[in-house]
Amino acid sequence: MCDCNPVMNQETFINKAQASGIIALDLLQYKPTTEIVELDIKDHLFMGMIVKEKEFKESIAAVDYSIYDGKAVGIICSTDAIIPPWAYMMLMEKLAPYAVYVDLNTAKTVLIDLWKRRLIYADLKHYKDQKVVIRANSDHDPSLYLSAAGLLRPLVKSLMYGEIGLPKVIFKK
């Protein structure tokens, strides 16, 4: 016969992760929600390869730029063409009334840039003098962790990577 009490005292179990005082920062909360699209400039080039001013102007004038309303636009050129700077300026003039952000980059790079920008402008003062772990996520670009570490280092008491229960210590003050 076991003299074990089937009713366990809840105070016996201590949530060490909760007791540690570590605060988690999830980079996903700073991920931009803006739709990001690409505009391939090759579609406006003569034979898909050459910028001819008259044809280029006519081609970009025929586009309905309202399809970019409220979106971030990454301008790319999928061919190996030499594009003069004025061509990008003309595209910007057309996109400016609609797009919330325009850059000469792929959609993936625009996403990372906007994500970093949201981190930079985030109010991180509630992490001041705290033990902070930046949650691990293999889908995140490493540059996001670099940016977050740079922003948090002057604020936090200690910075970690991973999960609250088993963090990798990066530094302690």
Side-chain angles (χ1 to χ4, degrees):
M1 177 158 169
C2 176
D3 56 349
C4 301
N5 184 350
V7 179
M8 297 194 160
N9 184 345
Q10 289 211 326
E11 293 177 289
T12 306
F13 296 103
I14 297 172
N15 184 335
K16 290 184 180 183
Q18 190 175 16
S20 71
I22 298 172
I23 299 172
L25 181 144
D26 190 343
L27 292 173
L28 276 176
Q29 72 188 43
Y30 299 99
K31 184 175 182 179
T33 56
T34 304
E35 183 181 352
I36 301 168
V37 295
E38 288 181 352
L39 184 157
D40 193 345
I41 202 169
K42 105 169 154 53
D43 299 335
H44 303 287
L45 303 179
F46 178 73
M47 296 175 45
M49 297 290 290
I50 302 165
V51 177
K52 290 178 101 178
E53 185 173 357
K54 182 181 178 208
E55 288 84 351
F56 183 78
K57 284 180 178 180
E58 288 171 356
S59 179
I60 66 170
V63 174
D64 176 12
Y65 291 93
S66 68
I67 63 170
Y68 299 104
D69 193 33
K71 298 175 184 174
V73 180
I75 297 176
I76 63 164
C77 186
S78 60
T79 63
D80 192 20
I82 297 171
I83 311 297
W86 59 261
Y88 297 116
M89 294 171 68
M90 285 185 170
L91 279 172
M92 185 64 197
E93 189 274 325
K94 299 290 188 186
L95 289 165
Y98 303 102
V100 295
Y101 182 82
V102 180
D103 198 2
L104 185 58
N105 268 315
T106 64
K108 181 181 178 185
T109 303
V110 168
L111 171 66
I112 292 166
D113 288 347
L114 290 175
W115 204 332
K116 285 188 214 175
R117 192 178 285 217
R118 287 194 69 191
L119 274 170
I120 289 167
Y121 292 110
D123 182 8
L124 302 174
K125 66 183 172 208
H126 58 281
Y127 294 111
K128 186 167 178 56
D129 299 323
Q130 300 294 323
K131 295 185 269 182
V132 178
V133 63
I134 299 175
R135 294 216 167 170
N137 186 325
S138 61
D139 294 334
H140 293 343
D141 189 274
S143 67
L144 294 170
Y145 291 100
L146 182 72
S147 294
L151 293 166
L152 290 169
R153 191 177 192 295
L155 295 174
V156 301
K157 186 189 304 185
S158 61
L159 183 64
M160 295 160 273
Y161 167 83
E163 292 299 326
I164 291 175
L166 191 59
K168 167 89 174 146
V169 176
I170 305 302
F171 87 90
K172 289 183 181 184
K173 281 188 183 173

